[in-house]
Amino acid sequence: MKISIIVPIYNAEEYLSKCLESLVNQTYRNIEIILVDDGSTDASAQMCDEYAQKDDRFNVVHKENEGPSLTRTAGMAAATGDFFTFVDSDDWISCNYVEEAVVALEGSKVDILFTSYIKEYKTKSVGVNLYTEDRIIFKSSNGSNEVLRRLIGEIGDELQNPEKLENLNTVWGKFYRTSKFKYLRFKDINEIWSEDLWFNIQAFYLSEGSMYINSQGYHYNKQNENSIVSTYTPHLAERFNKLNNMIGDFIWLHSLGKEYVLALSNRRVLILLSIAINEFSNQKISFWQRTKKMKTILNEQEYTKSLSGFEYGKLPCVYRVFFKACEKKQAMIVGLIISMALFKRKRLG
């Protein structure tokens, strides 16, 4: 079995060597490593070429700068393996990461395999287990499956851990059957948030079966302060709205049922936390301007409707206070909660 590892790269010289060395040192050798340089202006492009000269498993694609979505798509177009997977250029993988995935895949007929992972902070490492079991096989029925529903949103007791909403979204940490998913496309990140989630919703709907293994071999770097998820993002709320509308249309088009509708409604509520963190991270405008903008967002019809029917009783206390403030349109209280959380996060590093 051949595995294609796709690495989208843009100005990643600070982290790139660690990432690429982790690929070179994989215990499973039947791999191709596709480095897609998205018009880097630092030393990244040269580093890619140097690795390709030393190891013929590397395939380097140089392209003009177009953003992560088209860069990943270019990597998929070049993939020749039985399965392809993504590794971000500031992350790294354990030496047996691919081998463990292949061992699991060889005895199964699943279209997607996905794993747990580790968040790497400056002072600590935090394991993220997506399920309590070590191994689960999920079957699909007319496109409907548990993973797809979880991607769309949390329901019932899952709301006890609202911070886990986005844990499944990423395209890294997953192995996709090339013959089935090579021609899927990523939406432009400037249009929706997040393009990973939309890709996975389509992929898991099309999959006839998927597998989860509790293998924490992927190391997600949370130290990169220049990453997309670490900086203020203009128009984030609008991009979330577009994504939510696309998911709603997807549910209707494929007749996925009430459970999926409820999951999307809960997603609309829970993403208000991400939106609030983003808005109150904007240091270019005053706290009062940020509060005013947040108030406008909270008054939007889709949030008003979703908040009014939300199951607050399932939430931990601090989240309940936050989302109740959202429901009551108390943007200043929302801002104070977020500002204190951001201050605490900065102190802890």
Side-chain angles (χ1 to χ4, degrees):
M1 181 183 294
K2 183 179 179 181
I3 303 296
S4 300
I5 304 174
I6 300 167
V7 187
I9 298 165
Y10 179 70
N11 289 356
E13 63 177 335
E14 182 179 354
Y15 305 97
L16 191 55
S17 289
K18 184 171 185 176
C19 173
L20 299 187
E21 284 297 317
S22 76
L23 307 185
V24 169
N25 294 323
Q26 287 301 294
T27 55
Y28 189 78
R29 307 300 293 175
N30 190 13
I31 59 177
E32 65 174 355
I33 305 165
I34 303 169
L35 308 182
V36 189
D37 167 39
D38 187 31
S40 295
T41 57
D42 65 359
S44 297
Q46 180 182 347
M47 293 170 69
C48 291
D49 291 335
E50 289 172 354
Y51 271 87
Q53 289 173 4
K54 293 184 292 184
D55 191 329
D56 61 9
R57 293 176 301 169
F58 281 86
N59 174 14
V60 181
V61 178
H62 293 291
K63 56 186 284 296
E64 64 182 17
N65 181 250
E66 297 176 295
S69 300
L70 291 176
T71 302
R72 283 171 170 165
T73 298
M76 290 162 58
T80 63
D82 298 288
F83 284 80
F84 64 86
T85 188
F86 296 95
V87 176
D88 281 356
S89 58
D90 52 352
D91 298 339
W92 67 95
I93 55 178
S94 299
C95 63
N96 62 341
Y97 174 68
V98 175
E99 183 176 9
E100 289 189 347
V102 169
V103 169
L105 285 168
E106 282 181 333
S108 71
K109 297 181 180 180
V110 299
D111 293 321
I112 304 172
L113 178 139
F114 59 108
T115 75
S116 51
Y117 53 92
I118 298 176
K119 291 182 179 180
E120 300 287 358
Y121 297 89
K122 290 181 179 179
T123 58
K124 61 182 178 180
S125 299
V126 179
V128 177
N129 296 324
L130 303 177
Y131 293 91
T132 55
E133 298 89 341
D134 287 334
R135 180 187 176 108
I136 313 173
I137 293 179
F138 301 94
K139 297 294 184 181
S140 294
S141 176
N142 296 320
S144 177
N145 59 75
E146 182 181 333
V147 186
L148 175 62
R149 202 275 303 147
R150 271 279 305 274
L151 281 164
I152 289 174
E154 298 177 337
I155 61 175
D157 289 342
E158 294 165 359
L159 294 171
Q160 295 173 9
N161 299 287
E163 72 281 358
K164 294 183 178 181
L165 174 68
E166 310 287 11
N167 283 356
L168 264 172
N169 290 8
T170 63
V171 290
W172 50 255
K174 296 177 176 66
F175 293 75
Y176 303 90
R177 187 178 296 278
T178 305
S179 60
K180 194 149 195 172
F181 304 114
K182 181 173 182 175
Y183 300 103
L184 276 183
R185 291 293 176 263
F186 285 89
K187 290 289 290 185
D188 190 337
I189 193 172
N190 293 314
E191 294 182 29
I192 66 169
W193 193 279
S194 80
E195 79 280 13
D196 283 32
L197 173 58
W198 182 243
F199 182 93
N200 279 323
I201 285 174
Q202 296 174 89
F204 277 93
Y205 177 79
L206 293 171
S207 73
E208 295 180 30
S210 59
M211 179 191 300
Y212 166 74
I213 59 172
N214 183 18
S215 169
Q216 294 184 346
Y218 193 99
H219 298 262
Y220 173 30
N221 182 8
K222 297 288 287 182
Q223 302 174 42
N224 184 0
E225 295 180 353
N226 295 318
S227 71
I228 292 173
V229 294
S230 300
T231 56
Y232 169 70
T233 304
H235 310 297
L236 181 65
E238 292 91 330
R239 287 151 70 182
F240 265 127
N241 284 345
K242 185 167 183 178
L243 173 63
N244 290 338
N245 291 336
M246 289 169 62
I247 296 173
D249 291 342
F250 188 90
I251 293 170
W252 178 83
L253 178 64
H254 297 291
S255 303
L256 291 177
K258 294 181 179 179
E259 189 178 59
Y260 289 80
V261 174
L262 175 59
L264 175 57
S265 181
N266 289 347
R267 167 171 284 279
R268 286 194 176 101
V269 172
L270 297 180
I271 63 168
L272 282 170
L273 179 57
S274 296
I275 290 171
I277 290 172
N278 183 66
E279 294 303 332
F280 285 96
S281 297
N282 184 5
Q283 300 298 317
K284 293 183 179 180
I285 60 176
S286 70
F287 178 83
W288 306 111
Q289 289 172 302
R290 286 175 258 169
T291 300
K292 184 177 180 180
K293 188 174 180 183
M294 193 68 207
K295 183 88 167 183
T296 300
I297 293 170
L298 293 174
N299 277 314
E300 292 179 12
Q301 184 177 359
E302 71 167 28
Y303 296 120
T304 298
K305 182 178 179 181
S306 294
L307 284 161
S308 65
F310 190 68
E311 289 186 85
Y312 290 96
K314 298 289 186 180
L315 295 173
C317 183
V318 64
Y319 287 96
R320 199 178 311 160
V321 171
F322 173 82
F323 289 114
K324 272 293 184 181
C326 290
E327 183 184 18
K328 302 298 183 184
K329 321 297 184 192
Q330 298 294 325
M332 185 175 293
I333 294 177
V334 168
L336 291 172
I337 293 172
I338 294 301
S339 297
M340 287 188 289
L342 290 173
F343 178 73
K344 183 178 179 181
R345 178 196 291 180
K346 186 175 182 179
R347 287 189 63 187
L348 295 175

